[in-house]
Amino acid sequence: MSTSVLPGERPDRLEEACAVFGVYAPGEDVARMTCFGLQALQHRGQESAGIAVGDGETIMAAKDLGLVTQVFDEASLAALEGFVAVGHARYSTSGGAASWEAAQPHISAIDDVLIALAHNGTLVNTDRIRALLEGRGVQFRSSTDSEVAAKAIGEVTQTTHHLRNGIRRAMEELSGAYAMVLASPSSLYAFRDPNGIRPLCIGELPDGRGWVVSSETCGLDIVGAEYVRDVAPGEIVRFNEEGMHAEQGVPAGKPAACIFEYVYFARPDSVIDGQSVYQARRNMGRILAQEAPAEADLVLGVPDSGVPPALGYAHESGIPYADGIVKNRYVGRTFIEPTQAMRQLGIRLKLNPLRSVIEGQRLVVIDDSIVRGNTSKKLVQMLRDAGATEVHLRIVSPEVGWPCFYGIDTDTRDQLIAANMTLSEMNEWIGSDSLAFISLEGLRASVPDVRCRGFCDACFTGDYPVEIPAAVAKKSLLTKKDFEDVYAEGSQ
Ligand code: SF4
């Protein structure tokens, strides 16, 4: 996606929430494997990284703010000895800005036994559970929903003395999106919410050396694990000396896998629930070319996620594909403040046009989504400045008109351009010659191989698969017009 990520500035994009990774492999360097797994999943969260390792007796953990390679080195990995591990890379949603306390895995004590929990997703009902636990004297170190889940599991386990019961009872109570991995000193657990909103897959190491769980299959590939299957919605899977054992923790609900994983969040080399992400993106471009053709000389993709659909669009339309936008891969999340003048350059810190390709050309530009529209506006201007004679924007997701409450950081509705403008108003404001979005049916048709056959598409439709309590939704579902109406009513 075309985006500028400058310190102190909200990114004009849907941001991923987190990556989780787990290993059960006696005799292997599980901390190192987890470190590599998290590096493969780094695109899902860059604010903090952590690894917890069990050695049969206890759990040891290391975590800090920063990228995986900034947090871990040879010495810190060597200190994490054991045979079961969980890891986490975080982008903050619930729990606010980056902080050490909010970094995961969360460690909880059950009597004298430690557990480590890593969570991808967002829970929507933790206020009540937190208050309940605090009433029983449970103390919290962060404001994250993930810590509430860890403490809830710990509480039940303490009374029933069975970790599986603790997980099951917690799953009955928790509502929202969660793909979690949990390590006890001697076992690994993986479990997923009843709607299966966030992805989680299982892999096996060769020669029976052990098991791996990962947010995406690219995390399995990097450690040489072979994909076995996805964790099913509502399922608890345990790995220990007896092997892999699966059971239904809570009944599965209506399948609601996040369709945006295929558009933008997941790595193109991952396969989620049977569907190649790369192929899905090619399909999106192909279908978009059928739905929204354009008269142009070249098709460009906004790196990275816009490139596969641009290839699909080019192939279907017969318009040549060109690499016309170059991404600076090393300007990412930075703690170094750019100067005000650099800030005004906006996305050129991250994306730069190739004038020699673009000059004098009519362009079809493929991007994955439009959130607030500021970045698209800068992108169009940048391409015109580089000599493009026409810029036709084609977007491979439908209009994002609703916020996500399931682990993706989105703006409130009043900030989302599609919730507040018509298509022609958006086109005019962004400054493109034409603008079109793929239809929801087109997007669904782009993922034909998915096994679950049911998606969450709430950020396009407002049809939320898990009810959002009013206290959580607050004002985030109001458009600008709604605010004006409320203000007008209040002033009468
Ligand atoms: S609301 Fe959108 S981003 Fe959030 S889980 Fe649903 S499809 Fe994914």
Side-chain angles (χ1 to χ4, degrees), residues 22-24 84-86 181-183 186-190 211 213 237-239:
V23 184
Y24 177 86
V84 55
V86 292
V181 290
L182 182 152
S186 55
S187 300
L188 171 69
Y189 293 83
W211 300 90
V213 181
V237 187
R238 186 191 66 199
F239 307 90

Side-chain angles (χ1 to χ4, degrees), residues 61-285:
K63 61 180 182 178
D64 211 339
L65 301 181
L67 300 172
V68 178
T69 49
Q70 294 167 321
V71 173
F72 292 100
D73 57 17
E74 285 292 337
S76 55
L77 290 177
L80 294 172
E81 283 185 40
F83 58 86
V84 55
V86 292
H88 191 265
R90 178 167 190 265
Y91 178 84
S92 60
T93 48
S94 163
S99 71
W100 188 89
E101 286 74 20
Q104 297 188 35
H106 280 295
I107 309 297
S108 291
I110 302 171
D111 296 325
D112 291 336
V113 178
L114 297 180
I115 58 165
L117 178 84
H119 170 208
N120 175 25
T122 298
L123 304 169
V124 297
N125 68 336
T126 45
D127 285 358
R128 185 182 61 78
I129 298 171
R130 187 186 177 101
L132 210 74
L133 292 172
E134 280 175 338
R136 290 188 207 143
V138 175
Q139 292 186 345
F140 290 85
R141 301 180 73 168
S142 74
S143 58
T144 65
D145 56 347
S146 312
E147 189 182 2
V148 174
K151 294 280 162 60
I153 292 167
E155 268 289 288
V156 181
T157 305
Q158 220 149 23
T159 47
T160 63
H161 302 290
H162 285 292
L163 194 42
R164 249 175 32 216
N165 289 344
I167 294 171
R168 193 185 306 114
R169 287 281 299 281
M171 289 171 81
E172 285 165 4
E173 292 296 326
L174 299 173
S175 178
Y178 56 89
M180 296 190 184
V181 290
L182 182 152
S184 73
S186 55
S187 300
L188 171 69
Y189 293 83
F191 44 103
R192 211 169 158 208
D193 68 71
N195 303 96
I197 296 174
R198 302 253 71 85
L200 192 61
C201 63
I202 302 167
E204 187 171 11
L205 292 166
D207 308 319
R209 279 162 41 220
W211 300 90
V212 179
V213 181
S214 173
S215 292
E216 294 178 36
T217 57
C218 64
L220 305 181
D221 297 339
I222 200 169
V223 297
E226 192 164 328
Y227 170 78
V228 175
R229 66 175 176 87
D230 286 41
V231 176
E235 189 180 35
I236 304 172
V237 187
R238 186 191 66 199
F239 307 90
N240 62 12
E241 58 190 1
E242 293 163 15
M244 174 174 138
H245 172 86
E247 65 182 283
Q248 199 63 33
V250 287
K254 192 174 164 219
C258 171
I259 201 164
F260 226 105
E261 291 281 349
Y262 299 98
V263 175
Y264 168 62
F265 302 140
R267 254 175 54 166
D269 51 336
S270 285
V271 176
I272 298 181
D273 200 27
Q275 173 66 57
S276 150
V277 174
Y278 177 81
Q279 197 52 52
R281 289 183 188 161
R282 289 281 302 230
N283 293 344
M284 288 167 205

Side-chain angles (χ1 to χ4, degrees), residues 14 197-198 258-260 265 404 406 408 456-459:
L14 272 67
I197 296 174
R198 302 253 71 85
C258 171
I259 201 164
F260 226 105
F265 302 140
C404 175
Y406 306 134
I408 303 302
C456 173
D457 49 29
C459 48

